[in-house]
Amino acid sequence: MPGTKVDSKQRITVRNLRIREDTAKYLRNLDPNSAYYDPITRSMRDNPNPQVPVEESEFDGENFVRFTGDTTKHAGAQLFAWEAHGKGVDVHLLAEPTKLELLQKGIREKEGTIQIKYKNRRSI
């Protein structure tokens, strides 16, 4: 990188450093049957204290963050793209996200109209 001095004797790695005032993940629950802590990646995927409610706990594990927000929507879109590709539709989630979104919307609308027609036939 321009403007930086690099000395081969001083190699500093800044990967996965934590603030030293924070409690380390492996100290949150010292029970040997608690969630597994991987010291190489410094990750604890499961909740170390599952008996504590989510609102009160400070750390719920990396998997808790993994399944929040738009993650589930993205996974559903990826699954839809794979299924559509398997049926012969040329669509890719990363290359054509707008095309995929419009295709999903159209199919949802068609499914809705089919369900309404089916309910109307059953009620007759």
Side-chain angles (χ1 to χ4, degrees):
M1 293 184 356
T4 60
K5 294 181 181 178
V6 178
D7 186 10
S8 63
K9 295 178 184 176
Q10 291 182 340
R11 293 187 180 180
I12 300 172
T13 304
V14 189
R15 196 186 103 190
N16 291 336
L17 291 181
R18 65 177 176 85
I19 300 171
R20 296 295 176 205
E21 291 84 26
D22 291 345
T23 304
K25 293 174 192 171
Y26 58 88
L27 294 175
R28 296 194 183 268
N29 188 351
L30 297 176
D31 182 22
N33 296 326
S34 178
Y36 174 71
Y37 173 75
D38 186 14
I40 295 171
T41 60
R42 296 181 185 165
S43 64
M44 183 177 286
R45 290 174 178 83
D46 293 331
N47 188 352
N49 297 312
Q51 67 278 5
V52 177
V54 176
E55 297 84 24
E56 297 176 10
S57 67
E58 296 176 9
F59 177 73
D60 296 323
E62 272 90 18
N63 280 345
F64 179 77
V65 176
R66 184 181 270 170
F67 299 117
T68 57
D70 288 337
T71 308
T72 53
K73 182 180 174 185
H74 179 74
Q78 182 65 59
L79 183 63
F80 179 81
W82 287 336
E83 290 174 350
H85 185 72
K87 293 177 182 176
V89 179
D90 187 28
V91 68
H92 192 273
L93 175 65
L94 298 176
E96 302 167 316
T98 307
K99 180 179 177 182
L100 181 72
E101 186 70 30
L102 291 173
L103 187 64
Q104 269 185 310
K105 184 179 177 183
I107 288 180
R108 271 190 245 124
E109 289 174 358
K110 286 180 183 177
E111 287 176 350
T113 56
I114 290 172
Q115 288 178 356
I116 291 170
K117 288 179 182 178
Y118 180 72
K119 286 180 184 178
N120 290 340
R121 286 184 187 171
R122 285 188 75 183
S123 63
I124 295 177

